[in-house]
């Protein structure tokens, strides 16, 4: 399975991400409660993927409704969507997907129950397809800047495990690889939660792409010793001036890329842009629990009571970003002029 | 105990470093076999500390020799030194210290056995005292460049756990602190072996210095968000042009320090300089086993079979180094002219 989730004959199949990178366990279910539980326990993770899963979950939750009373049907829909909405309280895409499904319900409300069900399935399939298509376009546009023979460095996980499609940064790598280019990847392990080691390395091996894992602090020396052509990462939020918040360590990577004259690209769908923010200084940065650093490997690695500074994200200033790869093309500096043109 | 090892009434006392940072176990012994075993199992570690311990070990190994035959005494010395020499095959300071003890043996060979024993103890005490003094002088000289109120960032462990005295980079911090300055420290955790999290954080807390632990990749954002005045690290080998090999990640830290206009210092005794090397390009870099990255903490964190690039050290080029703090003063650029002046 080389996607995080698939829709197969009235059921979903997905990778249990809690078992990665050691075991690839595939779960197949038509039970929305199982999906809700699996979102909660992080077997399904990544904002876009959670959205897609919730949409399918709603359809699966109502598809066996056997009554004829539309009010009962609506109540059933509400129970299902409430259960799914309560899985991850801060997942924006989760609520967005549930609202999209509600819209479809409301638009179809005068139709027969079987017709409403059909429309809800179509909506879920559309949400999924749309995500796949955005990833595909990011891959296509991104591939334009990848040399025929390229060694690429990436940070954290911006691949198919987080989305319905192929990912963002990794979508570019997958597209370059599948178009016949000779691709090698260095993956930062990405402390503290090791998404690079656990997920990115696994994904790339799964797709038969040559990947080498490094500790985050090894990136600069790797750039000095080997020829690295490109750095590409995802982003969590991008301001109007191009400043980009992404997983902690991205700013670090951008600085050392600049030092070694390596182009540094961000790959992200347009939904990542926050057109209300003038600059990255306005992006709030979540601080994580100290234990993620001090006990991240299941074993305490620092003195009890030590103070820890553990921001989840950092902000890479626009001047370090060569270009931002979106599903509508690559945005280049000056960002303050060009980003706004991509607002749809 | 705020040193790694002490000599107390004909025996050594030392911290069992395998138990840090969770437990501070003090071992007290006059048995050289126990010292040899503890060097082997890394309870005693750090090149200078191993040297000091081996010198004491030799004395303890021969101190109870009760015969009168000098040849038997010499054989006993050889057995003891051979045992100690076989503990860590690549520890330069270990062999250096054993040779120093052999020299003392040879110089005293015409004296009585009790007098030879006395000279060997004196030599061991001198090796220890000399190390303490070099650390003290590095601290004194380094303190000159520390502002009255200073936030300092460091990488790996260059403190009292690795030496007979107070360390190198941390000796500067200890001296600044004890001279009444207001000192805060950010300690990189230092993947893969986490010397920063396990040892530096513990040392600084042990000396009541305000320390905050960060993942290595968080250093750049820490510099952006907070005022960092100085970066100081140790070094493993320094070339004639000032290029310095040190724990992997040091080059990374030096680049991001430069980006944030933070002075970057190396603190190291003159024995660290390799006057045969013109530049850092000639320094051989040891590559470590992949498992240190993928299974560092008793838990596998990456896919089986993943390729790993894990150099033990990197080389920071001279242009990123503001000054090199030694026991004879601070060496400033141009290093190619100035380092040679410190050759004694």
């Amino acid at each position: 399975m080389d996607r995080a989730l698939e829709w197969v004959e009235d059921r979903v199949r997905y990778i249990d991400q809690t078992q990665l990178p050691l075991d690839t366990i595939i779960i197949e279910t038509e039970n929305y409660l199982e999906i809700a539980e699996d979102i909660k326990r992080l077997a399904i993770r990544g904002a876009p993927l959670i959205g897609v899963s919730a949409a399918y979950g709603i359809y699966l939750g109502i598809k066996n409704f056997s009554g004829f009373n539309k009010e009962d049907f609506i109540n059933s829909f509400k129970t299902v969507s409430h259960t799914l909405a309560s899985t991850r309280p801060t997942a924006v895409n989760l609520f967005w997907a549930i609202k999209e499904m509600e819209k479809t319900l409301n638009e179809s409300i005068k139709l027969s129950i079987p017709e409403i069900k059909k429309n809800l399935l179509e909506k879920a399939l559309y949400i999924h397809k749309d995500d796949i298509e955005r990833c595909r376009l990011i891959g296509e546009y991104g591939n334009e800047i990848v040399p025929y023979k390229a060694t690429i460095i990436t940070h954290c996980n911006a691949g198919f495990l987080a989305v319905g499609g192929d990912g963002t940064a990794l979508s570019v790598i997958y597209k370059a690889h599948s178009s016949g280019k000779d691709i090698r990847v260095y993956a930062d392990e990405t402390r503290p939660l090791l998404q690079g080691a656990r997920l990115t390395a696994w994904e790339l091996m799964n797709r038969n792409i040559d990947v080498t894992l490094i500790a985050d602090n090894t990136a600069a020396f790797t750039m000095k010793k080997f020829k690295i052509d490109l750095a590409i990462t995802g982003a969590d939020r991008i301001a109007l001036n191009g400043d980009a918040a992404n997983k902690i360590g991205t700013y670090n990577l951008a600085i050392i890329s600049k030092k070694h004259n390596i182009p540094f690209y961000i790959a992200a769908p347009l939904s990542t842009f926050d057109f209300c923010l003038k600059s990255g200084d306005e992006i709030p940065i979540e601080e994580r629990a100290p234990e993620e650093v001090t006990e991240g490997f299941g074993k305490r690695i620092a003195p009890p009571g030590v103070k820890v500074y553990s921001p989840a994200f950092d902000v890479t200033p626009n001047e370090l970003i060569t270009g931002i790869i979106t599903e509508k093309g690559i945005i280049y500096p000056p960002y303050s002029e060009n980003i706004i043109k991509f607002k749809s």
Side-chain angles (χ1 to χ4, degrees), chain A:
Chain A
M1 193 161 168
D2 70 350
R3 283 275 168 79
L5 179 142
E6 292 170 351
W7 178 255
V8 189
E9 294 168 25
D10 252 25
R11 48 176 60 211
V12 283
R13 295 179 76 221
Y14 49 87
I15 296 170
D16 180 349
Q17 298 195 30
T18 63
Q19 300 303 303
L20 295 179
L22 300 188
D23 295 304
T24 310
I25 310 286
I26 308 293
I27 295 171
E28 205 168 314
T29 186
E30 48 183 337
N31 180 352
Y32 84 97
L33 290 170
E34 194 173 356
I35 296 172
E37 187 53 33
D38 282 351
I39 293 173
K40 211 183 274 179
R41 69 180 184 91
L42 309 181
I44 296 169
R45 49 155 289 286
L49 185 63
I50 290 172
V52 170
S53 311
Y56 284 128
I58 286 179
Y59 169 69
L60 290 171
I62 54 84
K63 111 179 144 96
N64 294 326
F65 178 85
S66 56
F68 297 95
N69 183 324
K70 218 173 263 181
E71 213 161 301
D72 289 349
F73 180 76
I74 292 171
N75 284 334
S76 175
F77 182 102
K78 280 184 183 162
T79 305
V80 171
S81 63
H82 182 77
T83 302
L84 286 158
S86 63
T87 52
R88 295 283 303 272
T90 55
V92 175
N93 296 53
L94 172 64
F95 304 118
W96 171 83
I98 291 171
K99 262 195 193 139
E100 289 292 304
M101 295 297 276
E102 274 169 7
K103 261 195 246 170
T104 299
L105 173 72
N106 294 335
E107 285 159 13
S108 318
I109 204 70
K110 293 197 173 149
L111 304 177
S112 70
I113 289 173
E115 281 172 319
I116 300 176
K117 285 181 183 176
K118 187 171 153 277
N119 285 357
L120 285 170
L121 173 59
E122 268 168 19
K123 184 69 183 181
L125 287 166
Y126 174 79
I127 288 172
H128 192 183
K129 211 182 100 188
D130 185 56
D131 187 69
I132 292 173
E133 179 63 6
R134 283 172 206 271
C135 292
R136 192 187 69 76
L137 289 166
I138 288 172
E140 290 275 355
Y141 284 114
N143 189 26
E144 291 171 13
I145 52 97
V146 179
Y148 179 72
K149 188 176 158 66
T151 303
I152 300 172
I153 190 164
T154 188
H155 188 73
C156 199
N157 177 258
F160 70 70
L161 289 169
V163 297
D166 260 2
T168 54
L170 295 194
S171 180
V172 175
I173 289 169
Y174 294 138
K175 180 63 197 172
H177 178 70
S178 68
S179 70
K181 292 181 182 175
D182 183 4
I183 303 295
R184 287 194 62 184
V185 179
Y186 284 92
D188 278 356
E189 66 172 2
T190 316
R191 280 281 285 152
L193 294 184
L194 298 161
Q195 292 91 339
R198 292 188 296 110
L199 307 178
T200 297
W202 181 89
E203 271 200 25
L204 292 167
M205 288 173 81
N206 187 273
R207 295 264 185 119
N208 295 313
I209 293 174
D210 184 330
V211 58
T212 302
L213 180 65
I214 57 172
D216 302 318
N217 67 23
T218 308
F221 197 58
T222 301
M223 291 176 181
K224 197 177 187 179
K225 276 204 67 173
F226 309 110
K227 190 181 170 295
I228 308 282
D229 300 283
L230 281 180
I232 314 181
T233 74
D236 285 83
R237 208 159 164 188
I238 303 173
L240 265 178
N241 70 342
D243 292 352
N246 190 42
K247 184 61 59 200
I248 186 71
T250 304
Y251 175 42
N252 214 316
L253 183 67
I255 294 170
I256 62 171
S257 295
K258 184 88 164 187
K259 163 80 181 169
H260 295 90
N261 295 314
I262 296 168
F264 179 87
Y265 286 88
I266 295 278
L270 289 167
S271 59
T272 312
F273 288 82
D274 189 331
F275 294 98
C276 302
L277 298 183
K278 278 190 189 151
S279 87
D281 297 339
E282 296 170 38
I283 301 175
I285 301 293
E286 173 193 357
E287 286 194 29
R288 307 283 302 174
E291 289 74 21
E292 288 186 354
V293 172
T294 58
E295 298 179 16
F297 305 91
K299 187 178 169 184
R300 184 146 187 114
I301 54 142
V306 68
K307 283 195 290 187
V308 176
Y309 175 54
S310 183
F313 308 102
D314 58 24
V315 178
T316 300
N318 55 14
E319 77 265 16
L320 297 176
I321 301 169
T322 309
I324 304 173
I325 304 161
T326 76
E327 70 272 37
K328 288 195 177 165
I330 303 179
I331 312 178
Y332 288 104
Y335 294 114
S336 299
E337 282 174 34
N338 292 339
I339 284 175
I340 197 76
K341 295 178 195 162
F342 281 71
K343 189 175 177 181
S344 55

